[in-house]
Amino acid sequence: MALEKITQVVGRGVYVPGDDIDTDRIIPARYLKCVTFDDLAEGMFADVRFDSKGHEMKHPLNDPRFKGASIMISNKNFGCGSSREHAPQSIYRSGFRAIIAESFAEIFFGNSITLGMPCVEASYEQISAMTAILEAAPETEITIDVTNKRVSLAGKTFEVNIKETARDALVNGRWDPLGELLEADVKISQVASSLAYMA
Amino acid sequence: MAKTLYQKVWDAHSVTKLANGQTQLLIGTHLIHEVTSPQAFGMLRDMGLKVRYPQRTFATVDHIVPTHTRVEPYEDPLADAMIKELRKNCKEFGITFFDTHSGMQGIVHMVGPEQGITQPGTTIACGDSHTATHGAFGAIAFGIGTSQVRDVLATQTMAMSPMKVRRINVNGKLKPGVYAKDVILHIIKVLGVNGGLGYAYEYGGEVFDNFNMEERMTVCNMSIEGGARCGYVNPDQKTIDYLRGRPYAPKAATFDEAAARWLSFASDADASYDDIVTIQGEDIEPSVTWGITPGQGCFIGDSIPTPESVEGGERANVELALKHMKFQGGEPIKGKAIDVAFFGSCTNGRISDFREAAKYLKGKKVKEGVRAIAVPGSQLVKAECAKEGIDKIFSEAGFEWREAGCSMCLAMNPDKLIDDELCASTSNRNFIGRQGSKTGRTVLMSPLMVAAAAVTGQISDAREVFNI
C-alpha cells in the first residue's frame, strides 16, 4: 500500500506548555474503553479542558484564538508514561498533524510516526521564540519542513531535529512499516528457527 | 568483541535492516491484554492477515477487569464487551488465554514470569509500558503501541532502533526497611523522568545480586518512569532456580541446556557501556513521591521542595505539582493524612510484597476513616496468600481483599479515588488523574510504607511504625 510522503506540515499552532505531559493527561484511562480508535478525539486532554460538569476550563486547547490549530507545541518528555496509542490517536483525530516539543517519550514518538504524525524536536529557546510569535499573532501559519528539518513562521526559520529513521520514513512514505515487515517472511522463519525458545 | 546482554539479544533477534535504517526485530514472546489489543485484531481482519506465530502470543485480562466480583456480565458494559472481545479474538486466532476462570489470570507482567513464559535472552513486547518488568530475567522487554501489536501479531517482528545501554550499579547493602521500590524511586529521582530517553537500563551491583527475582521485577518495572523503555538484570542462578519447573519453562531433560544458554546471554565482564552510574545502597532511605511524576520524590525524612529551590522550566513543574497535591513547599512529607491505601499492581502485587507486609500488619488495624484495598497481582498470588493465611491478616487489619487485576493503579475498573483523596500507593504512577479522579492525589511508596500509612492514617516512616 502506497503511503503519503509527508515532507511538510503547514498549519496554525497551539502551545500546550509543560514538561512531562503524560499520556494519562493526554487521554484519561476511561476513554480507553473502546474496541476501535474512532471516537478518541473527545477524550483528548479531557480532564484539563473540562470540569466535572463538562464545562470548558481555561486551557490553550479551549482558547478560541487557537481553534483550528493543527500543530501542537509543548516542552520536555512529551507523551511520557503509558504506551497507549490512544494518546497520539486522540491528538491526530482532533485534527493535529504534527507536534513540536523539546523531547518526546520513546513509545509515544514511535506511535505517532506510525500514524504519519511528525514529532519534531526544538530547543527550549526555539520553542519560547515560536510560542511568543503565536501569542502575539495566533493566526500565524507555521511550516514544518520535514525533509530539511526546519520550522518557519512569521519570516523566521528554526533549524530543528527529527530522528533520521523517522524523517526518512515520513518523507519516503514508509511510516507504517507493516508492508515492509511482511516482505521478510522467509528471513523471519530463519531467525525464529535459530532460537530454541521459538521452536 | 565483548557485548552487553542487550547487544547479544538484539543480534540474535535481528531479521533485517529496513529501508529507513531501523532494524526488523523478531519478538519471541508477545503478551496481550484487553485494552490495547482489540484495535490490532481489527486491523488484521481489515487487512485479511493471520497471526504469524499464534503459539508465541499469550493473553490475559487485567486492566479493566473488576476486582470486587467475577460474575459476568460485568456492570460496566464497555468493560464486559472488551473482555469478551479478547476472548473471541484469542479463540479465532488460536492464542493461549489465561482467562478469569483459569486460576492463572493476573496482571500480564505477573503471568509471564509465573508461567515461565518470561525467559532470559528473549525479546518480549506487550502493549503496556510496564513490560520492562520481564527484564528482571535478562529479557529485552518493552512496551509497544497498538499498531505495533498489529505488526507483532502479523509478522512476529517490529521496526526498532537500537538503544544505548546505561549500566546502573547499586553497590553495598540496603538498610533495614529499605526495599526495591525505594531503590527505583531513588534512581528515577537521581536520573530524572526523562534521563533514560534512548537508553536501556542494565541494573547490577551487590544490591541486585542479593535481590530475589521479585525485587528485580519491581525495579525493572519502573524503568519507563525514568524514561528508559527497557531495563534488565543479567541472569544468574536465582533466575534459573525461579524458572525451573514452571509450566512453560523447558522440561527437565532440556532444562540444564537451556539454563546454560540463558547464562551465556549475560553481559560480558569487559563489555562497554554508553554510560555508567553508581549509587551506594546505604545512601537510600525509604522514599515517597510528593508530586505528579515518579521523579518528584524524596526520602521520608525530607521536606517537600519549594519552587524557589529549582531553576528554569523546572520551577513551573514544581508549582503545578504542589498546586495539584495541595502541599506547601518546605513542609515535611511525613505526617500528611491519607484517605486511601492501595496495595497491589505489577510493581508491588507479588507474594513477597504481601508476605513482607503481613509480617508487620499482623494484629494491627487500618486507621479508622482510611479506605484500604489489597489487590493480589494474580490469581496464583491470591491462592498462595490464602494458603499462608496472608489474606486473613490483611482482612483482619481492615483491608478489602480483592480479585486479581490492575485495579486502582490505573483505575479503568470501578476502583478509583474520589475527589481529592490522598492515596498511599504501591503502584508506579502519580500522574494527575491516574487513579481515577482528576483531583485525586497519589503518593508512591513501598508496600511496607503503604502498610504503615494505612495503620497510622498518615504518611509515615515504616521503620518507626513497625520498630524495624
PDB file of all heavy atoms in Angstrom, chain B residues 332-366:
ATOM      1  N   PRO B 332       7.253  19.142  55.848  1.00  0.00           N
ATOM      2  CA  PRO B 332       7.656  17.731  55.804  1.00  0.00           C
ATOM      3  C   PRO B 332       6.581  16.902  55.091  1.00  0.00           C
ATOM      4  O   PRO B 332       5.393  17.233  55.178  1.00  0.00           O
ATOM      5  CB  PRO B 332       7.751  17.319  57.274  1.00  0.00           C
ATOM      6  CG  PRO B 332       7.037  18.363  58.043  1.00  0.00           C
ATOM      7  CD  PRO B 332       6.934  19.604  57.200  1.00  0.00           C
ATOM      8  N   ILE B 333       7.005  15.851  54.393  1.00  0.00           N
ATOM      9  CA  ILE B 333       6.028  14.958  53.739  1.00  0.00           C
ATOM     10  C   ILE B 333       5.441  14.011  54.786  1.00  0.00           C
ATOM     11  O   ILE B 333       4.282  13.599  54.692  1.00  0.00           O
ATOM     12  CB  ILE B 333       6.685  14.192  52.556  1.00  0.00           C
ATOM     13  CG1 ILE B 333       5.661  13.351  51.782  1.00  0.00           C
ATOM     14  CG2 ILE B 333       7.828  13.304  53.000  1.00  0.00           C
ATOM     15  CD1 ILE B 333       4.824  14.116  50.818  1.00  0.00           C
ATOM     16  N   LYS B 334       6.252  13.686  55.762  1.00  0.00           N
ATOM     17  CA  LYS B 334       5.796  12.783  56.830  1.00  0.00           C
ATOM     18  C   LYS B 334       4.662  13.448  57.608  1.00  0.00           C
ATOM     19  O   LYS B 334       4.736  14.631  57.922  1.00  0.00           O
ATOM     20  CB  LYS B 334       6.976  12.479  57.765  1.00  0.00           C
ATOM     21  CG  LYS B 334       6.803  11.215  58.568  1.00  0.00           C
ATOM     22  CD  LYS B 334       8.109  10.774  59.194  1.00  0.00           C
ATOM     23  CE  LYS B 334       8.221  11.295  60.612  1.00  0.00           C
ATOM     24  NZ  LYS B 334       9.424  10.760  61.269  1.00  0.00           N
ATOM     25  N   GLY B 335       3.621  12.692  57.889  1.00  0.00           N
ATOM     26  CA  GLY B 335       2.523  13.242  58.683  1.00  0.00           C
ATOM     27  C   GLY B 335       1.325  13.692  57.857  1.00  0.00           C
ATOM     28  O   GLY B 335       0.276  14.015  58.412  1.00  0.00           O
ATOM     29  N   LYS B 336       1.457  13.706  56.521  1.00  0.00           N
ATOM     30  CA  LYS B 336       0.317  14.076  55.679  1.00  0.00           C
ATOM     31  C   LYS B 336      -0.771  13.003  55.815  1.00  0.00           C
ATOM     32  O   LYS B 336      -0.501  11.803  55.634  1.00  0.00           O
ATOM     33  CB  LYS B 336       0.746  14.166  54.204  1.00  0.00           C
ATOM     34  CG  LYS B 336       1.654  15.345  53.926  1.00  0.00           C
ATOM     35  CD  LYS B 336       0.831  16.600  53.828  1.00  0.00           C
ATOM     36  CE  LYS B 336       1.720  17.808  53.639  1.00  0.00           C
ATOM     37  NZ  LYS B 336       1.010  19.056  53.980  1.00  0.00           N
ATOM     38  N   ALA B 337      -1.971  13.429  56.103  1.00  0.00           N
ATOM     39  CA  ALA B 337      -3.067  12.474  56.301  1.00  0.00           C
ATOM     40  C   ALA B 337      -3.451  11.815  54.981  1.00  0.00           C
ATOM     41  O   ALA B 337      -3.509  12.482  53.943  1.00  0.00           O
ATOM     42  CB  ALA B 337      -4.272  13.194  56.888  1.00  0.00           C
ATOM     43  N   ILE B 338      -3.706  10.531  55.022  1.00  0.00           N
ATOM     44  CA  ILE B 338      -4.140   9.812  53.814  1.00  0.00           C
ATOM     45  C   ILE B 338      -5.615   9.423  53.925  1.00  0.00           C
ATOM     46  O   ILE B 338      -6.158   9.332  55.029  1.00  0.00           O
ATOM     47  CB  ILE B 338      -3.282   8.558  53.531  1.00  0.00           C
ATOM     48  CG1 ILE B 338      -3.515   7.477  54.608  1.00  0.00           C
ATOM     49  CG2 ILE B 338      -1.811   8.902  53.427  1.00  0.00           C
ATOM     50  CD1 ILE B 338      -3.250   6.073  54.109  1.00  0.00           C
ATOM     51  N   ASP B 339      -6.250   9.206  52.779  1.00  0.00           N
ATOM     52  CA  ASP B 339      -7.641   8.749  52.733  1.00  0.00           C
ATOM     53  C   ASP B 339      -7.737   7.299  52.279  1.00  0.00           C
ATOM     54  O   ASP B 339      -8.666   6.588  52.626  1.00  0.00           O
ATOM     55  CB  ASP B 339      -8.441   9.620  51.748  1.00  0.00           C
ATOM     56  CG  ASP B 339      -8.347  11.089  52.089  1.00  0.00           C
ATOM     57  OD1 ASP B 339      -8.873  11.484  53.144  1.00  0.00           O
ATOM     58  OD2 ASP B 339      -7.715  11.848  51.315  1.00  0.00           O
ATOM     59  N   VAL B 340      -6.776   6.909  51.427  1.00  0.00           N
ATOM     60  CA  VAL B 340      -6.837   5.595  50.789  1.00  0.00           C
ATOM     61  C   VAL B 340      -5.457   4.950  50.850  1.00  0.00           C
ATOM     62  O   VAL B 340      -4.437   5.640  50.723  1.00  0.00           O
ATOM     63  CB  VAL B 340      -7.286   5.725  49.304  1.00  0.00           C
ATOM     64  CG1 VAL B 340      -7.284   4.377  48.601  1.00  0.00           C
ATOM     65  CG2 VAL B 340      -8.669   6.371  49.207  1.00  0.00           C
ATOM     66  N   ALA B 341      -5.424   3.639  51.059  1.00  0.00           N
ATOM     67  CA  ALA B 341      -4.185   2.871  50.922  1.00  0.00           C
ATOM     68  C   ALA B 341      -4.418   1.817  49.852  1.00  0.00           C
ATOM     69  O   ALA B 341      -5.367   1.028  49.955  1.00  0.00           O
ATOM     70  CB  ALA B 341      -3.820   2.217  52.248  1.00  0.00           C
ATOM     71  N   PHE B 342      -3.589   1.855  48.815  1.00  0.00           N
ATOM     72  CA  PHE B 342      -3.731   0.872  47.732  1.00  0.00           C
ATOM     73  C   PHE B 342      -2.501  -0.035  47.706  1.00  0.00           C
ATOM     74  O   PHE B 342      -1.371   0.428  47.573  1.00  0.00           O
ATOM     75  CB  PHE B 342      -3.906   1.558  46.379  1.00  0.00           C
ATOM     76  CG  PHE B 342      -3.873   0.587  45.220  1.00  0.00           C
ATOM     77  CD1 PHE B 342      -4.847  -0.386  45.082  1.00  0.00           C
ATOM     78  CD2 PHE B 342      -2.840   0.620  44.287  1.00  0.00           C
ATOM     79  CE1 PHE B 342      -4.806  -1.302  44.037  1.00  0.00           C
ATOM     80  CE2 PHE B 342      -2.791  -0.291  43.234  1.00  0.00           C
ATOM     81  CZ  PHE B 342      -3.774  -1.252  43.110  1.00  0.00           C
ATOM     82  N   PHE B 343      -2.768  -1.336  47.805  1.00  0.00           N
ATOM     83  CA  PHE B 343      -1.697  -2.333  47.853  1.00  0.00           C
ATOM     84  C   PHE B 343      -1.894  -3.272  46.676  1.00  0.00           C
ATOM     85  O   PHE B 343      -2.853  -4.035  46.652  1.00  0.00           O
ATOM     86  CB  PHE B 343      -1.797  -3.101  49.182  1.00  0.00           C
ATOM     87  CG  PHE B 343      -0.547  -3.837  49.565  1.00  0.00           C
ATOM     88  CD1 PHE B 343       0.183  -3.459  50.687  1.00  0.00           C
ATOM     89  CD2 PHE B 343      -0.098  -4.907  48.816  1.00  0.00           C
ATOM     90  CE1 PHE B 343       1.338  -4.143  51.049  1.00  0.00           C
ATOM     91  CE2 PHE B 343       1.055  -5.592  49.168  1.00  0.00           C
ATOM     92  CZ  PHE B 343       1.774  -5.202  50.295  1.00  0.00           C
ATOM     93  N   GLY B 344      -1.005  -3.199  45.697  1.00  0.00           N
ATOM     94  CA  GLY B 344      -1.116  -4.084  44.538  1.00  0.00           C
ATOM     95  C   GLY B 344      -0.311  -3.562  43.365  1.00  0.00           C
ATOM     96  O   GLY B 344       0.667  -2.846  43.565  1.00  0.00           O
ATOM     97  N   SER B 345      -0.693  -3.938  42.133  1.00  0.00           N
ATOM     98  CA  SER B 345      -0.103  -3.514  40.859  1.00  0.00           C
ATOM     99  C   SER B 345       1.037  -4.411  40.397  1.00  0.00           C
ATOM    100  O   SER B 345       1.559  -5.218  41.170  1.00  0.00           O
ATOM    101  CB  SER B 345       0.395  -2.063  40.895  1.00  0.00           C
ATOM    102  OG  SER B 345       1.696  -1.998  41.450  1.00  0.00           O
ATOM    103  N   CYS B 346       1.448  -4.209  39.134  1.00  0.00           N
ATOM    104  CA  CYS B 346       2.556  -5.000  38.580  1.00  0.00           C
ATOM    105  C   CYS B 346       3.883  -4.585  39.191  1.00  0.00           C
ATOM    106  O   CYS B 346       4.893  -5.263  38.995  1.00  0.00           O
ATOM    107  CB  CYS B 346       2.600  -4.891  37.056  1.00  0.00           C
ATOM    108  SG  CYS B 346       2.776  -3.210  36.417  1.00  0.00           S
ATOM    109  N   THR B 347       3.900  -3.497  39.929  1.00  0.00           N
ATOM    110  CA  THR B 347       5.130  -3.098  40.619  1.00  0.00           C
ATOM    111  C   THR B 347       5.270  -3.854  41.942  1.00  0.00           C
ATOM    112  O   THR B 347       6.345  -4.351  42.268  1.00  0.00           O
ATOM    113  CB  THR B 347       5.110  -1.581  40.906  1.00  0.00           C
ATOM    114  OG1 THR B 347       4.742  -0.894  39.724  1.00  0.00           O
ATOM    115  CG2 THR B 347       6.463  -1.087  41.373  1.00  0.00           C
ATOM    116  N   ASN B 348       4.192  -3.942  42.676  1.00  0.00           N
ATOM    117  CA  ASN B 348       4.260  -4.498  44.039  1.00  0.00           C
ATOM    118  C   ASN B 348       3.034  -5.329  44.404  1.00  0.00           C
ATOM    119  O   ASN B 348       2.482  -5.185  45.497  1.00  0.00           O
ATOM    120  CB  ASN B 348       4.404  -3.359  45.060  1.00  0.00           C
ATOM    121  CG  ASN B 348       5.820  -2.811  45.147  1.00  0.00           C
ATOM    122  OD1 ASN B 348       6.057  -1.631  44.969  1.00  0.00           O
ATOM    123  ND2 ASN B 348       6.784  -3.689  45.394  1.00  0.00           N
ATOM    124  N   GLY B 349       2.619  -6.216  43.510  1.00  0.00           N
ATOM    125  CA  GLY B 349       1.474  -7.070  43.824  1.00  0.00           C
ATOM    126  C   GLY B 349       1.868  -8.536  43.922  1.00  0.00           C
ATOM    127  O   GLY B 349       1.059  -9.429  43.671  1.00  0.00           O
ATOM    128  N   ARG B 350       3.142  -8.792  44.278  1.00  0.00           N
ATOM    129  CA  ARG B 350       3.640 -10.167  44.273  1.00  0.00           C
ATOM    130  C   ARG B 350       3.625 -10.763  45.677  1.00  0.00           C
ATOM    131  O   ARG B 350       3.497 -10.055  46.666  1.00  0.00           O
ATOM    132  CB  ARG B 350       5.050 -10.206  43.683  1.00  0.00           C
ATOM    133  CG  ARG B 350       5.069  -9.738  42.257  1.00  0.00           C
ATOM    134  CD  ARG B 350       6.397  -9.899  41.557  1.00  0.00           C
ATOM    135  NE  ARG B 350       6.223  -9.374  40.207  1.00  0.00           N
ATOM    136  CZ  ARG B 350       6.233  -8.081  39.925  1.00  0.00           C
ATOM    137  NH1 ARG B 350       6.477  -7.197  40.857  1.00  0.00           N
ATOM    138  NH2 ARG B 350       6.012  -7.675  38.686  1.00  0.00           N
ATOM    139  N   ILE B 351       3.838 -12.067  45.728  1.00  0.00           N
ATOM    140  CA  ILE B 351       3.732 -12.763  47.010  1.00  0.00           C
ATOM    141  C   ILE B 351       4.724 -12.205  48.036  1.00  0.00           C
ATOM    142  O   ILE B 351       4.391 -12.047  49.209  1.00  0.00           O
ATOM    143  CB  ILE B 351       3.857 -14.311  46.830  1.00  0.00           C
ATOM    144  CG1 ILE B 351       3.570 -15.034  48.141  1.00  0.00           C
ATOM    145  CG2 ILE B 351       5.190 -14.713  46.257  1.00  0.00           C
ATOM    146  CD1 ILE B 351       2.157 -14.867  48.658  1.00  0.00           C
ATOM    147  N   SER B 352       5.927 -11.874  47.594  1.00  0.00           N
ATOM    148  CA  SER B 352       6.915 -11.381  48.569  1.00  0.00           C
ATOM    149  C   SER B 352       6.485 -10.033  49.136  1.00  0.00           C
ATOM    150  O   SER B 352       6.784  -9.718  50.296  1.00  0.00           O
ATOM    151  CB  SER B 352       8.303 -11.277  47.924  1.00  0.00           C
ATOM    152  OG  SER B 352       8.260 -10.435  46.796  1.00  0.00           O
ATOM    153  N   ASP B 353       5.765  -9.224  48.342  1.00  0.00           N
ATOM    154  CA  ASP B 353       5.259  -7.945  48.846  1.00  0.00           C
ATOM    155  C   ASP B 353       4.215  -8.192  49.942  1.00  0.00           C
ATOM    156  O   ASP B 353       4.237  -7.540  50.990  1.00  0.00           O
ATOM    157  CB  ASP B 353       4.619  -7.144  47.702  1.00  0.00           C
ATOM    158  CG  ASP B 353       5.623  -6.811  46.601  1.00  0.00           C
ATOM    159  OD1 ASP B 353       6.735  -6.367  46.928  1.00  0.00           O
ATOM    160  OD2 ASP B 353       5.287  -7.010  45.416  1.00  0.00           O
ATOM    161  N   PHE B 354       3.305  -9.137  49.668  1.00  0.00           N
ATOM    162  CA  PHE B 354       2.259  -9.434  50.650  1.00  0.00           C
ATOM    163  C   PHE B 354       2.853 -10.079  51.904  1.00  0.00           C
ATOM    164  O   PHE B 354       2.455  -9.761  53.019  1.00  0.00           O
ATOM    165  CB  PHE B 354       1.183 -10.331  50.021  1.00  0.00           C
ATOM    166  CG  PHE B 354       0.280  -9.567  49.083  1.00  0.00           C
ATOM    167  CD1 PHE B 354       0.516  -9.559  47.717  1.00  0.00           C
ATOM    168  CD2 PHE B 354      -0.778  -8.821  49.581  1.00  0.00           C
ATOM    169  CE1 PHE B 354      -0.301  -8.831  46.861  1.00  0.00           C
ATOM    170  CE2 PHE B 354      -1.599  -8.088  48.732  1.00  0.00           C
ATOM    171  CZ  PHE B 354      -1.359  -8.091  47.369  1.00  0.00           C
ATOM    172  N   ARG B 355       3.815 -10.977  51.717  1.00  0.00           N
ATOM    173  CA  ARG B 355       4.441 -11.647  52.873  1.00  0.00           C
ATOM    174  C   ARG B 355       5.112 -10.637  53.793  1.00  0.00           C
ATOM    175  O   ARG B 355       4.944 -10.680  55.009  1.00  0.00           O
ATOM    176  CB  ARG B 355       5.515 -12.626  52.377  1.00  0.00           C
ATOM    177  CG  ARG B 355       4.994 -13.989  52.094  1.00  0.00           C
ATOM    178  CD  ARG B 355       6.162 -14.932  51.752  1.00  0.00           C
ATOM    179  NE  ARG B 355       5.660 -16.103  51.073  1.00  0.00           N
ATOM    180  CZ  ARG B 355       6.214 -16.650  49.985  1.00  0.00           C
ATOM    181  NH1 ARG B 355       7.302 -16.123  49.458  1.00  0.00           N
ATOM    182  NH2 ARG B 355       5.681 -17.716  49.435  1.00  0.00           N
ATOM    183  N   GLU B 356       5.870  -9.743  53.187  1.00  0.00           N
ATOM    184  CA  GLU B 356       6.628  -8.776  53.984  1.00  0.00           C
ATOM    185  C   GLU B 356       5.681  -7.874  54.779  1.00  0.00           C
ATOM    186  O   GLU B 356       5.882  -7.636  55.969  1.00  0.00           O
ATOM    187  CB  GLU B 356       7.533  -7.938  53.064  1.00  0.00           C
ATOM    188  CG  GLU B 356       8.454  -6.963  53.765  1.00  0.00           C
ATOM    189  CD  GLU B 356       9.582  -7.623  54.560  1.00  0.00           C
ATOM    190  OE1 GLU B 356       9.752  -8.861  54.461  1.00  0.00           O
ATOM    191  OE2 GLU B 356      10.266  -6.898  55.306  1.00  0.00           O
ATOM    192  N   ALA B 357       4.635  -7.392  54.116  1.00  0.00           N
ATOM    193  CA  ALA B 357       3.688  -6.501  54.810  1.00  0.00           C
ATOM    194  C   ALA B 357       2.919  -7.269  55.880  1.00  0.00           C
ATOM    195  O   ALA B 357       2.669  -6.738  56.972  1.00  0.00           O
ATOM    196  CB  ALA B 357       2.736  -5.869  53.801  1.00  0.00           C
ATOM    197  N   ALA B 358       2.543  -8.514  55.568  1.00  0.00           N
ATOM    198  CA  ALA B 358       1.751  -9.305  56.522  1.00  0.00           C
ATOM    199  C   ALA B 358       2.518  -9.526  57.828  1.00  0.00           C
ATOM    200  O   ALA B 358       1.933  -9.542  58.910  1.00  0.00           O
ATOM    201  CB  ALA B 358       1.366 -10.643  55.895  1.00  0.00           C
ATOM    202  N   LYS B 359       3.839  -9.677  57.700  1.00  0.00           N
ATOM    203  CA  LYS B 359       4.684  -9.873  58.890  1.00  0.00           C
ATOM    204  C   LYS B 359       4.436  -8.761  59.909  1.00  0.00           C
ATOM    205  O   LYS B 359       4.435  -8.978  61.105  1.00  0.00           O
ATOM    206  CB  LYS B 359       6.157  -9.804  58.455  1.00  0.00           C
ATOM    207  CG  LYS B 359       6.828 -11.132  58.493  1.00  0.00           C
ATOM    208  CD  LYS B 359       8.279 -11.200  58.054  1.00  0.00           C
ATOM    209  CE  LYS B 359       9.132 -10.000  57.888  1.00  0.00           C
ATOM    210  NZ  LYS B 359      10.389 -10.253  57.173  1.00  0.00           N
ATOM    211  N   TYR B 360       4.268  -7.545  59.393  1.00  0.00           N
ATOM    212  CA  TYR B 360       4.140  -6.380  60.278  1.00  0.00           C
ATOM    213  C   TYR B 360       2.687  -5.971  60.521  1.00  0.00           C
ATOM    214  O   TYR B 360       2.388  -5.302  61.502  1.00  0.00           O
ATOM    215  CB  TYR B 360       4.926  -5.202  59.686  1.00  0.00           C
ATOM    216  CG  TYR B 360       6.414  -5.474  59.624  1.00  0.00           C
ATOM    217  CD1 TYR B 360       7.011  -5.909  58.444  1.00  0.00           C
ATOM    218  CD2 TYR B 360       7.205  -5.325  60.762  1.00  0.00           C
ATOM    219  CE1 TYR B 360       8.371  -6.182  58.388  1.00  0.00           C
ATOM    220  CE2 TYR B 360       8.562  -5.592  60.717  1.00  0.00           C
ATOM    221  CZ  TYR B 360       9.141  -6.017  59.519  1.00  0.00           C
ATOM    222  OH  TYR B 360      10.484  -6.288  59.480  1.00  0.00           O
ATOM    223  N   LEU B 361       1.803  -6.361  59.610  1.00  0.00           N
ATOM    224  CA  LEU B 361       0.389  -5.963  59.756  1.00  0.00           C
ATOM    225  C   LEU B 361      -0.346  -6.845  60.756  1.00  0.00           C
ATOM    226  O   LEU B 361      -1.394  -6.468  61.267  1.00  0.00           O
ATOM    227  CB  LEU B 361      -0.336  -6.072  58.405  1.00  0.00           C
ATOM    228  CG  LEU B 361      -0.355  -4.854  57.494  1.00  0.00           C
ATOM    229  CD1 LEU B 361      -1.118  -5.199  56.217  1.00  0.00           C
ATOM    230  CD2 LEU B 361      -0.980  -3.630  58.162  1.00  0.00           C
ATOM    231  N   LYS B 362       0.217  -8.004  61.023  1.00  0.00           N
ATOM    232  CA  LYS B 362      -0.467  -8.974  61.886  1.00  0.00           C
ATOM    233  C   LYS B 362      -0.838  -8.318  63.220  1.00  0.00           C
ATOM    234  O   LYS B 362       0.023  -7.773  63.919  1.00  0.00           O
ATOM    235  CB  LYS B 362       0.438 -10.183  62.110  1.00  0.00           C
ATOM    236  CG  LYS B 362      -0.299 -11.341  62.694  1.00  0.00           C
ATOM    237  CD  LYS B 362       0.491 -12.633  62.625  1.00  0.00           C
ATOM    238  CE  LYS B 362      -0.452 -13.734  63.129  1.00  0.00           C
ATOM    239  NZ  LYS B 362       0.080 -15.032  62.995  1.00  0.00           N
ATOM    240  N   GLY B 363      -2.127  -8.362  63.541  1.00  0.00           N
ATOM    241  CA  GLY B 363      -2.571  -7.802  64.819  1.00  0.00           C
ATOM    242  C   GLY B 363      -2.785  -6.299  64.802  1.00  0.00           C
ATOM    243  O   GLY B 363      -3.238  -5.722  65.776  1.00  0.00           O
ATOM    244  N   LYS B 364      -2.446  -5.639  63.679  1.00  0.00           N
ATOM    245  CA  LYS B 364      -2.640  -4.183  63.582  1.00  0.00           C
ATOM    246  C   LYS B 364      -3.966  -3.879  62.868  1.00  0.00           C
ATOM    247  O   LYS B 364      -4.532  -4.741  62.204  1.00  0.00           O
ATOM    248  CB  LYS B 364      -1.491  -3.556  62.785  1.00  0.00           C
ATOM    249  CG  LYS B 364      -0.112  -3.761  63.402  1.00  0.00           C
ATOM    250  CD  LYS B 364       0.247  -2.588  64.273  1.00  0.00           C
ATOM    251  CE  LYS B 364       1.706  -2.511  64.693  1.00  0.00           C
ATOM    252  NZ  LYS B 364       2.371  -3.746  65.055  1.00  0.00           N
ATOM    253  N   LYS B 365      -4.425  -2.651  63.032  1.00  0.00           N
ATOM    254  CA  LYS B 365      -5.677  -2.230  62.390  1.00  0.00           C
ATOM    255  C   LYS B 365      -5.441  -1.027  61.484  1.00  0.00           C
ATOM    256  O   LYS B 365      -4.686  -0.117  61.843  1.00  0.00           O
ATOM    257  CB  LYS B 365      -6.708  -1.822  63.451  1.00  0.00           C
ATOM    258  CG  LYS B 365      -7.219  -2.984  64.288  1.00  0.00           C
ATOM    259  CD  LYS B 365      -8.292  -3.779  63.532  1.00  0.00           C
ATOM    260  CE  LYS B 365      -8.767  -4.955  64.388  1.00  0.00           C
ATOM    261  NZ  LYS B 365      -9.116  -6.135  63.593  1.00  0.00           N
ATOM    262  N   VAL B 366      -6.135  -1.036  60.365  1.00  0.00           N
ATOM    263  CA  VAL B 366      -6.138   0.142  59.497  1.00  0.00           C
ATOM    264  C   VAL B 366      -6.848   1.266  60.245  1.00  0.00           C
ATOM    265  O   VAL B 366      -7.886   1.054  60.871  1.00  0.00           O
ATOM    266  CB  VAL B 366      -6.876  -0.165  58.164  1.00  0.00           C
ATOM    267  CG1 VAL B 366      -7.095   1.108  57.353  1.00  0.00           C
ATOM    268  CG2 VAL B 366      -6.096  -1.185  57.356  1.00  0.00           C
TER     269      VAL B 366
END
